[in-house]
Amino acid sequence: DNTWRYQLIARYTPTPNWIFNLGGNYDQTPIPSVALRSLSLPETNSYGLVTAVGRKFGDNLTAQLSYAHRFYQKGSIDNT
């Protein structure tokens, strides 16, 4: 089956040299039922948040510091 990923990112540039990003996403699991989930692939739907700050040092150099965190839905395994 097909799965979907939704993502939204906002960018704020208060000056030409500073860039701030904030975003979030949702990933749909490719495993459709708990009967198909296993210990080796315990995939569930997940949400993510990301934030970043960047600084331009001229036309050819930009440094960026970012942080991302994933949140997974609780899932069960039932393949007995």
Side-chain angles (χ1 to χ4, degrees), residues 2-80:
N2 293 327
T3 61
W4 289 89
R5 176 186 174 104
Y6 303 97
Q7 183 169 316
L8 180 65
I9 298 174
R11 175 173 281 178
Y12 175 61
T13 310
T15 69
N17 293 332
W18 286 97
I19 302 166
F20 297 91
N21 295 320
L22 181 64
N25 59 52
Y26 169 76
D27 284 318
Q28 196 177 37
T29 181
I31 301 171
S33 76
V34 296
L36 298 174
R37 195 173 291 139
S38 68
L39 288 176
S40 61
L41 189 61
E43 184 68 28
T44 61
N45 294 334
S46 63
Y47 303 87
L49 295 174
V50 63
T51 184
V53 60
R55 171 85 160 93
K56 286 181 75 172
F57 297 97
D59 292 335
N60 298 320
L61 180 63
T62 301
Q64 184 168 327
L65 179 65
S66 61
Y67 175 76
H69 191 86
R70 305 285 313 157
F71 300 93
Y72 292 93
Q73 290 180 338
K74 290 185 179 181
S76 60
I77 297 172
D78 185 17
N79 59 2
T80 56

